[in-house]
């Protein structure tokens, strides 16, 4: 099995891709991105599990400290965030990036509909 270089997607590129796909302004997508990460971090650090149906779950895992084998120090207890992908998400990983599942497409359409209702309400409130 040969080695393949895995490319990275920067935060900026990721946000740009999402903005392009959703046809939303980059500033809006960036704000949503920051809000999602903040909420996720807060929930998991508060010892909640975050389950995103069709995607996976995020949870906190505590680790006990230990003595360092070589040297005189030790590692204190520490916490890590873990992620476990759902089986439906894992099945989609091998497919084409543009091949969106019907449930994901419905979620996007629902979100678009919600956005339109929200924009309409904001316009009515401003009038």
């Amino acid at each position: 099995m040969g080695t393949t270089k895995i490319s990275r997607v920067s935060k900026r590129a990721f946000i740009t891709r999402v903005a392009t796909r959703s046809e939303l302004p980059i500033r809006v997508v960036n704000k949503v991105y920051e809000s999602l990460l903040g909420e996720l971090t807060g929930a998991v650090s508060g010892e909640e599990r975050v389950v995103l149906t069709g995607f996976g779950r995020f949870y906190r895992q505590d680790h006990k400290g230990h003595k360092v084998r070589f040297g005189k120090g030790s590692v204190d207890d520490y916490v890590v965030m873990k992620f476990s992908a759902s089986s439906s998400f894992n099945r989609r990983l091998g497919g084409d990036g543009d091949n969106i599942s019907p449930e994901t497409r419905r979620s996007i359409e629902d979100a678009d509909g919600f956005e339109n209702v929200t924009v309409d309400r904001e316009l009515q409130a401003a009038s």
Side-chain angles (χ1 to χ4, degrees):
M1 183 155 80
T3 59
T4 335
K5 183 178 178 185
I6 298 174
S7 62
R8 288 179 40 166
V9 177
S10 69
K11 174 184 170 183
R12 177 178 283 171
F14 181 76
I15 289 172
T16 301
R17 287 180 183 185
V18 172
T20 301
R21 181 177 286 223
S22 66
E23 298 178 354
L24 292 171
I26 290 175
R27 295 171 96 183
V28 171
V29 173
N30 187 55
K31 186 166 182 108
V32 170
Y33 173 88
E34 294 296 335
S35 298
L36 283 169
L37 290 184
E39 188 61 33
L40 178 64
T41 303
V44 172
S45 66
E47 299 189 22
E48 293 179 285
R49 287 179 184 239
V50 177
V51 179
L52 303 176
T53 305
F55 183 66
R57 63 188 170 106
F58 296 86
Y59 56 98
R60 170 188 172 120
Q61 189 173 68
D62 298 321
H63 289 269
K64 293 288 279 173
H66 58 275
K67 291 184 180 183
V68 177
R69 189 171 198 180
F70 300 103
K72 299 179 183 176
S74 64
V75 175
D76 294 332
D77 293 353
Y78 61 100
V79 177
V80 296
M81 181 185 292
K82 302 293 278 185
F83 171 72
S84 177
S86 71
S87 57
S88 63
F89 183 77
N90 281 330
R91 283 192 298 273
R92 287 183 281 169
L93 281 178
D96 181 7
D98 290 331
N99 186 12
I100 300 173
S101 73
E103 70 243 8
T104 303
R105 187 166 306 282
R106 276 193 302 277
S107 297
I108 292 170
E109 289 167 358
D110 290 346
D112 288 345
F114 176 74
E115 179 189 347
N116 292 337
V117 168
T118 304
V119 170
D120 289 345
R121 287 184 183 160
E122 289 173 355
L123 290 173
Q124 287 174 354
S127 330

